[in-house]
């Protein structure tokens, strides 16, 4: 993690912000991830504050560039304070430096470059390779992945020229786009053009830092199950488990960011579906089975990360049962074994990956499941370790495959584990 500012550096930052004296310093720890964030002129610029603040807390080094129009919405001092480094403007671009031009230094320094909000004006410049300010010159002076988060009025976003520029830019493998959302815009219009929220942009940045922008799942269709299922006794009581679907969500995000077409079949969840993911909500194991089998034929990779119930009440009451009417012994019956059925139906070119949530010895039962259900790979998941498993933002596991490979994954974010799983299976 970057060290807090010492008094001298804080004084230097305040001096820079007020007098425009740019202390270009690119000699930080080379092991830290480096992100340059370009801020365009739009009301969505205020969202960048949350993005910068969160990135810094995760240990990422940040440099911020503001266009002239961006400064009408947000001040350089705000982003300089949040990033713990002076924010750059066009005034810095045209000043002589101590060594090399600023846009060259920034372009070579960055591991990922982000533009949020991306305006129609900057989009057009990038689409045609134009560079007339610090931000666009830095883009052309860099070779790292560029993440674009557009934001504009619905009519502007839907213009033929704007959509042509957007699609043209995304044909360049360097550029990655976060789809716009629909909702209430600052102009009081309700429609498309709303910038993606900071958490979604942050996840995409983390993916790009892992993959370095490679789309190694491009052209692939990935089918993922997530979350727990619920088997109801009556309208208010059910047999279930504490699965939240966060692991499946991370798998969907990772696959999407690596270029895949993603279908996510999930149980009841308390999170937003990523833009660009086809999501199909279900409740029971039977419903999940039906949807997974319906979409199986078109999938290249199937990841069964859902925590499916093993049994369900034999009888269901359409009305809530009075407490006195609840059975002392609840008759149960098994639910469909979804992953075993998928294994029987899958074709040789398809990969089927299962999950095994276990306590104690996790390898033996995972190997038994791998073999008995004829899976290509399985994730042995300890759920009795602190800060991992159900509901946690972190996870740890051992990956096993039918060739006998075993790879231990130390505790990490579920997004990191998702990417490591795709790294593991892409060599099949």
């Amino acid at each position: 993690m970057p060290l807090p500012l010492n008094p001298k550096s804080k004084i230097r930052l305040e001096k820079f912000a007020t007098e425009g004296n740019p202390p270009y310093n690119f000699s930080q720890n080379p092991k830290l991830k480096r992100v340059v964030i370009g801020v365009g002129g739009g009301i969505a610029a205020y969202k960048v504050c949350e993005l910068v603040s969160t990135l810094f807390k995760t240990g990422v080094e940040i440099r911020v560039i503001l266009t002239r129009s961006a400064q009408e919405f947000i001040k350089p001092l705000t982003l300089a304070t949040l990033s713990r480094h002076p924010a750059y403007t066009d005034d810095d671009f045209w000043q002589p430096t101590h060594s090399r031009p600023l846009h060259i230094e920034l372009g070579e320094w960055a591991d990922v470059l982000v533009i949020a909000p991306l305006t129609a004006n900057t989009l057009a410049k990038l689409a045609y390779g134009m560079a007339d300010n610090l931000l666009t010159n830095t883009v052309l002076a860099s070779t790292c992945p560029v993440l674009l988060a557009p934001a504009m009025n619905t009519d502007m976003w839907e213009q033929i020229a704007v959509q042509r520029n957007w699609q043209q830019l995304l044909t360049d493998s360097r550029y990655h786009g976060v789809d716009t959302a629909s909702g209430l815009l600052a102009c009081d219009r309700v429609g498309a053009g709303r910038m993606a929220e900071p958490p979604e942009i942050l996840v995409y940045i983390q993916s790009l830092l892992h993959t370095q922008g490679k789309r190694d799942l491009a052209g692939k269709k990935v089918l993922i199950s997530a979350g727990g299922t619920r088997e109801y006794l009556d309208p208010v009581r059910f047999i279930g488990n504490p699965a939240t679907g966060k692991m499946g969500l991370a798998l969907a995000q990772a696959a999407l960011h690596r270029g895949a077409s993603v279908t996510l079949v999930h149980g009841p969840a308390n999170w937003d579906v990523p833009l660009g993911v086809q999501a199909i909500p279900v409740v029971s194991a039977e419903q999940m089975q039906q949807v997974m089998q319906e979409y199986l034929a078109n999938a290249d990779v199937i990841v069964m990360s859902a925590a499916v119930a093993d049994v369900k009440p034999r009888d269901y009451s359409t009305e809530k049962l009075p407490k006195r009417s609840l059975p002392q012994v609840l008759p149960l019956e098994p639910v469909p074994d979804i992953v075993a059925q998928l294994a029987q139906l899958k074709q040789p070119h398809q990969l089927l990956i299962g999950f095994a949530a276990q306590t104690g010895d996790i390898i033996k039962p995972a190997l038994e499941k791998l073999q008995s259900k004829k899976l290509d790979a399985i994730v042995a998941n300890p759920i009795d370790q602190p800060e991992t498993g159900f509901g946690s933002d972190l996870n740890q596991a051992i990956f096993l495959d039918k060739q006998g490979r075993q790879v231990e994954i130390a505790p990490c974010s579920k997004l990191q584990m998702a990417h490591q799983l795709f790294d593991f299976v892409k060599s099949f």
Side-chain angles (χ1 to χ4, degrees), residues 133-177:
N133 59 16
L134 176 57
L135 176 57
T136 51
N137 273 273
T138 300
V139 172
L140 293 190
S142 65
T143 58
C144 66
V146 182
L147 180 61
L148 307 171
M152 61 194 78
N153 164 268
T154 302
D155 289 331
M156 295 174 66
W157 175 242
E158 293 178 349
Q159 289 290 326
I160 293 175
V162 172
Q163 286 300 307
R164 181 186 64 234
N165 290 341
W166 177 244
Q167 296 303 325
Q168 175 183 325
L169 199 56
L170 293 182
T171 62
D172 186 330
S173 60
R174 279 194 67 203
Y175 292 96
H176 303 255

Side-chain angles (χ1 to χ4, degrees), residues 95-386:
Q95 296 295 323
T97 65
H98 298 296
S99 54
R100 306 170 70 210
L102 177 58
H103 66 293
I104 304 297
E105 290 280 10
L106 285 169
E108 293 180 352
W109 178 86
D111 293 316
V112 171
L113 203 154
V114 182
I115 304 180
L118 173 70
T119 63
N121 186 47
T122 300
L123 170 60
K125 292 177 184 178
L126 296 178
Y128 288 93
M130 299 172 63
D132 64 350
N133 59 16
L134 176 57
L135 176 57
T136 51
N137 273 273
T138 300
V139 172
L140 293 190
S142 65
T143 58
C144 66
V146 182
L147 180 61
L148 307 171
M152 61 194 78
N153 164 268
T154 302
D155 289 331
M156 295 174 66
W157 175 242
E158 293 178 349
Q159 289 290 326
I160 293 175
V162 172
Q163 286 300 307
R164 181 186 64 234
N165 290 341
W166 177 244
Q167 296 303 325
Q168 175 183 325
L169 199 56
L170 293 182
T171 62
D172 186 330
S173 60
R174 279 194 67 203
Y175 292 96
H176 303 255
V178 185
D179 289 341
T180 62
S182 295
L184 179 64
L185 307 180
C187 59
D188 290 331
R189 175 76 178 272
V190 177
R194 183 184 181 92
M195 190 176 88
E197 295 302 316
E200 187 154 6
I201 299 173
L202 175 65
V203 170
Y204 212 137
I205 293 171
Q206 292 170 334
S207 287
L208 292 176
L209 288 171
H210 179 92
T211 64
Q212 298 178 332
K214 295 177 183 177
R215 292 186 177 93
D216 52 7
L217 292 179
K220 300 292 185 181
K221 295 182 178 180
V222 178
L223 176 62
I224 300 168
S225 71
T229 60
R230 296 179 178 180
E231 309 302 330
Y232 278 85
L233 170 65
D234 63 18
V236 299
R237 301 181 180 95
F238 61 86
I239 296 175
N241 57 65
T244 60
K246 288 182 178 180
M247 190 66 236
L249 172 64
L251 287 162
Q253 292 168 325
L256 179 71
H257 299 161
R258 296 170 84 132
S261 174
V262 181
T263 299
L264 177 64
V265 183
H266 65 86
N270 189 29
W271 34 257
D272 294 328
V273 176
L275 297 171
V277 169
Q278 179 184 14
I280 304 173
V282 297
V283 176
S284 68
E286 184 177 357
Q287 292 172 346
M288 182 171 285
Q289 175 198 29
Q290 292 173 351
V291 177
M292 292 295 289
Q293 288 186 1
E294 178 183 351
Y295 284 85
L296 173 66
N298 292 325
D300 298 294
V301 181
I302 306 98
V303 187
M304 193 69 193
S305 69
V308 182
D310 296 304
V311 295
K312 67 177 182 178
R314 187 188 65 193
D315 303 311
Y316 174 75
S317 172
T318 57
E319 296 182 354
K320 180 185 176 182
L321 295 170
K323 185 176 181 179
R324 64 180 179 277
S325 299
L326 291 175
Q328 294 298 310
V329 177
L330 182 63
L332 301 173
E333 62 184 23
V335 303
D337 189 336
I338 302 176
V339 72
Q341 293 178 358
L342 295 178
Q344 293 178 353
L345 296 171
K346 85 177 188 73
Q347 300 300 309
H349 72 277
Q350 295 177 307
L351 291 178
L352 178 58
I353 304 160
F355 270 66
Q358 299 289 342
T359 60
D361 178 10
I362 64 174
I363 295 181
K364 182 178 178 181
L367 282 172
E368 292 175 351
K369 185 174 181 179
L370 173 72
Q371 295 164 1
S372 66
K373 299 186 189 296
K374 296 180 172 57
L375 306 179
D376 295 295
I378 195 166
V379 178
N381 226 176
I383 56 173
D384 55 353
Q385 300 299 315

